[in-house]
Amino acid sequence: MTRTLIVGGNAGGASAAARLRRLDESREIVVFERTDHVSIGTCGMPYYVGETIDDIEDLLVQTPASLERRFDLDVRTGHEVLDIDPDAKRVTVAHDDRESVESYDSLILSPGAEPIVPPIDGIEACECVHTLQSLADARSIRERVEQGAERAVVVGGGYIGLEVTESLTEAGVDVSLVEMEDHVMQALDYEMAAQVNNHLREQGVDLHLNARAESVDLIDPTTVELADGTAIPADVIVLATGVRPRTDLAAAADLQIGDRGGIVVDDQLETAADDIYAIGDAIEVTDRVTGQPAHVPLAGPANKQGRTVANVIAGPPDSQERVLATAIAKVFDRTVAATGANEDALRAADIRYETSVTYSHSHASYYPGAEPMWIKVLFDPTEGDLYGAQIVGGEGVDKRIDVLATAIAFDATVFDLQELDLAYAPPYGSGKDPVNMAGFVAGNVVTGVVDVLHWDDLEDLDPDAYTLLDCRPIEERHDDGAFVNATTIPLGELRERLDELPEDSTIVPHCKAGLRSYITTRILTQHGFDATNVAGGYELYRQAKRDRDARESSAELGTVFR
């Protein structure tokens, strides 16, 4: 009888086991899981912490009994694989202080990842410090909330950190969020993440950016000391500082470990050793856009890799695709999503790119409940090939990021976005869907219909060479603020007032979000002016400025804004 051993359950290992059984009823399949749970909803744990999910048992996706009953699997929880002998094709397993040797025909490694614990003095001695990797972690944090914790410090502003921050806040806990970079959610570019920074503050989160937790002081009250001397009291501390691939077992077996810290596999998920495969959070993948090695610890890729490796071992020919790392998170009243490469990744890969930003509503604006969203797309400036997308908004963000991820996966261009035939009825969308609009705007940039400046270009504009033109109605400028020294001509009056604009200067029209200023730019260009639109408009700049003002003095940012 052919025998496959799987090290680790959850998204990757459990998916591989189930698919193998569907392909081969006669195969012996043994799953070794070192914890007590073989398949849990890890992504749901932040919502249990904050009591959105009431019963922790709801996070058990499958149990050993359910897997054994449905798929005839031999699931052994509390079993830790200690050693692999690739030559003899066997592993050593520990359970209840005993060891056994198990042989295999094929071996699948799905050990997952482990939390990164930053070097914070005093952290080991503090019982109120938790990671969020297991159901036991989630239960411990929830118990502290139920016992009356009033103040929490969350270290790390990634997806898990933000979800924990929201959940604890909604459970009535005062939360301080500490992030080393200048914005949360590193998958986003700064101007998109600035909106999230601002929203966190609006929800009462005490946000510390460009900040590093240096020590935990166990005096009463327990405090987290930041590198700048700030002391934050805390009844519970959650470390959400990311994860690293769990590779000790693979490294001891002389399997190759890559530069990103994960197990190296080929396109069929096989390691350097024959008949040993690896999947999930423990491996390195290839980024679909940049072609660079990447570590993508997300459930979606792990589940697909489980299915793929089962096909490779026992089914139809298959291989893993490159990964886009599409992700989404709920942050209070906002939904934040990203797919593909951001600007940092494109610069690191030396890929030329351009960006555009559009402001749209989730459905027809005249139908009640329409919510705005900002969509940023990154693309090749010459051909329009799509590289990445980011969205911050409310309802409908999930739908649009999935459309954009699909487009990138099928090598679409911004011009293809224009042609997508997407569902429309007033409660659900618009005749020109936000994805179509993103394609129209980006396509205009590629074809040279409009030139653009970006929000961060505005601080350094030479007033002798550029003239800012505010084309919003007067009342809108009064409500939202304005750029200093901008010429003000509403769009509706522009054609009659062209003689008020200098002919020896580049005119930079701007409005709230870029649509009216685009129309203004087209009028000016056709009347012989040199004109450049502001991508994303005044509001995108204002969001970035609001965030910076929360951390820096306005004098350090120049005087372009008032």
Side-chain angles (χ1 to χ4, degrees):
M1 179 182 294
T2 304
R3 194 171 201 237
T4 297
L5 305 183
I6 301 175
V7 181
N10 285 317
S15 293
R19 176 64 173 172
L20 272 174
R21 175 57 72 228
R22 293 194 296 270
L23 294 172
D24 187 348
E25 185 67 18
S26 65
R27 180 180 298 266
E28 183 180 2
I29 304 169
V30 183
V31 180
F32 298 109
E33 170 56 49
R34 63 189 185 86
T35 71
D36 295 331
H37 304 290
V38 69
S39 181
I40 63 175
T42 306
C43 297
M45 291 194 294
Y47 302 106
Y48 171 77
V49 165
E51 303 178 349
T52 299
I53 295 173
D54 183 60
D55 190 345
I56 199 168
E57 297 295 317
D58 291 340
L59 295 175
L60 296 176
V61 179
Q62 294 282 355
T63 65
S66 68
L67 287 172
E68 290 168 1
R69 184 170 55 253
R70 175 175 291 187
F71 295 109
D72 189 26
L73 304 177
D74 182 356
V75 180
R76 305 181 192 181
T77 57
H79 285 65
E80 183 172 8
V81 176
L82 303 177
D83 178 67
I84 303 170
D85 185 340
D87 295 326
K89 302 185 76 169
R90 62 190 183 191
V91 300
T92 302
V93 185
H95 174 62
D96 287 344
D97 297 324
R98 297 190 301 272
E99 294 185 4
S100 62
V101 175
E102 305 278 349
S103 62
Y104 64 83
D105 295 294
S106 57
L107 175 67
I108 302 173
L109 303 180
S110 181
E114 58 188 356
I116 295 172
V117 178
I120 301 174
D121 291 342
I123 202 171
E124 299 86 357
C126 183
E127 295 181 355
C128 70
V129 174
H130 306 273
T131 58
L132 191 54
Q133 186 78 359
S134 67
L135 293 186
D137 297 332
R139 187 180 291 109
S140 296
I141 300 170
R142 169 81 168 260
E143 288 173 354
R144 290 193 177 274
V145 173
E146 293 174 340
Q147 292 165 4
E150 297 179 353
R151 298 158 301 191
V153 172
V154 177
V155 182
Y159 291 99
I160 297 298
L162 291 175
E163 290 166 351
V164 171
T165 294
E166 176 189 356
S167 293
L168 290 175
T169 300
E170 294 189 342
V173 180
D174 292 332
V175 181
S176 296
L177 176 59
V178 179
E179 166 59 47
M180 290 185 65
E181 303 297 335
D182 65 357
H183 65 275
V184 298
M185 297 194 72
Q186 298 308 300
L188 300 184
D189 295 317
Y190 172 74
E191 75 275 22
M192 299 296 284
Q195 302 174 64
V196 187
N197 293 347
N198 293 329
H199 187 60
L200 288 166
R201 297 186 186 99
E202 291 166 358
Q203 301 304 311
V205 175
D206 177 29
L207 183 60
H208 297 263
L209 298 170
N210 295 122
R212 179 170 55 85
E214 194 165 74
S215 65
V216 174
D217 194 332
L218 297 181
I219 61 171
D220 190 16
T222 298
T223 59
V224 176
E225 305 282 346
L226 304 185
D228 65 2
T230 301
I232 310 173
D235 301 311
V236 58
I237 301 167
V238 181
L239 302 180
T241 46
V243 296
R244 63 167 59 91
R246 189 175 274 116
T247 59
D248 290 350
L249 185 63
D254 291 328
L255 304 183
Q256 183 181 356
I257 308 300
D259 293 339
R260 299 304 300 267
I263 303 169
V264 174
V265 295
D266 62 19
D267 63 355
Q268 293 194 309
L269 296 162
E270 191 169 23
T271 69
D274 291 341
D275 299 315
I276 299 180
Y277 303 83
I279 58 177
D281 294 358
I283 72 169
E284 287 188 359
V285 296
T286 301
D287 184 278
R288 184 177 188 91
V289 174
T290 68
Q292 303 295 316
H295 179 229
V296 182
L298 296 173
N303 272 289
K304 289 188 279 288
Q305 290 158 9
R307 180 183 177 88
T308 297
V309 77
N311 288 346
V312 168
I313 292 172
D318 203 353
S319 61
Q320 72 161 336
E321 295 290 333
R322 295 185 174 191
V323 175
L324 274 175
T326 304
I328 192 167
K330 178 180 179 294
V331 185
F332 294 98
D333 298 330
R334 298 286 190 275
T335 300
V336 186
T339 187
N342 62 12
E343 292 196 45
D344 285 343
L346 292 172
R347 282 192 292 264
D350 198 26
I351 296 174
R352 289 181 64 246
Y353 67 93
E354 183 54 271
T355 71
S356 66
V357 181
T358 52
Y359 179 86
S360 303
H361 283 85
S362 55
H363 57 250
S365 58
Y366 56 79
Y367 188 89
E371 297 185 23
M373 68 178 73
W374 291 92
I375 300 181
K376 177 175 182 176
V377 292
L378 301 95
F379 52 90
D380 177 79
T382 303
E383 302 297 330
D385 297 333
L386 279 169
Y387 295 147
Q390 302 161 30
I391 312 181
V392 177
E395 176 186 291
V397 169
D398 53 343
K399 169 182 174 179
R400 274 68 185 209
I401 201 67
D402 285 343
V403 171
L404 288 162
T406 303
I408 298 171
F410 284 92
D411 300 323
T413 69
V414 297
F415 304 106
D416 295 317
L417 298 184
Q418 301 174 8
E419 299 300 324
L420 290 177
D421 189 359
L422 302 175
Y424 163 58
Y428 304 106
S430 300
K432 294 178 181 177
D433 189 85
V435 172
N436 298 137
M437 291 303 301
F440 293 142
V441 172
N444 283 338
V445 175
V446 174
T447 56
V449 170
V450 64
D451 293 328
V452 293
L453 290 174
H454 301 285
W455 71 273
D456 52 346
D457 295 322
L458 300 179
E459 294 292 345
D460 300 320
L461 287 182
D462 180 354
D464 294 327
Y466 294 89
T467 298
L468 285 165
L469 173 60
D470 193 332
C471 60
R472 297 172 296 165
I474 297 296
E475 62 272 15
E476 189 174 311
R477 295 198 293 272
H478 288 165
D479 291 342
D480 294 337
F483 289 114
V484 172
N485 296 326
T487 299
T488 58
I489 303 177
L491 171 58
E493 303 174 15
L494 179 64
R495 291 179 179 87
E496 291 74 34
R497 298 175 60 182
L498 289 173
D499 58 353
E500 299 178 27
L501 296 171
E503 296 181 356
D504 59 349
S505 176
T506 298
I507 311 301
V508 183
H510 63 276
C511 61
K512 179 177 180 178
L515 175 58
R516 287 165 296 184
S517 58
Y518 161 65
I519 298 170
T520 299
T521 302
R522 292 299 303 145
I523 293 171
L524 291 173
T525 300
Q526 293 177 79
H527 281 83
F529 290 89
D530 182 14
T532 300
N533 192 24
V534 177
Y538 173 85
E539 180 61 21
L540 195 67
Y541 176 88
R542 190 170 74 122
Q543 288 287 337
K545 183 65 168 58
R546 280 182 59 200
D547 177 57
R548 288 190 174 190
D549 276 353
R551 297 178 286 120
E552 305 173 9
S553 70
S554 59
E556 294 175 326
L557 295 175
T559 58
V560 75
F561 179 93
R562 71 163 177 258

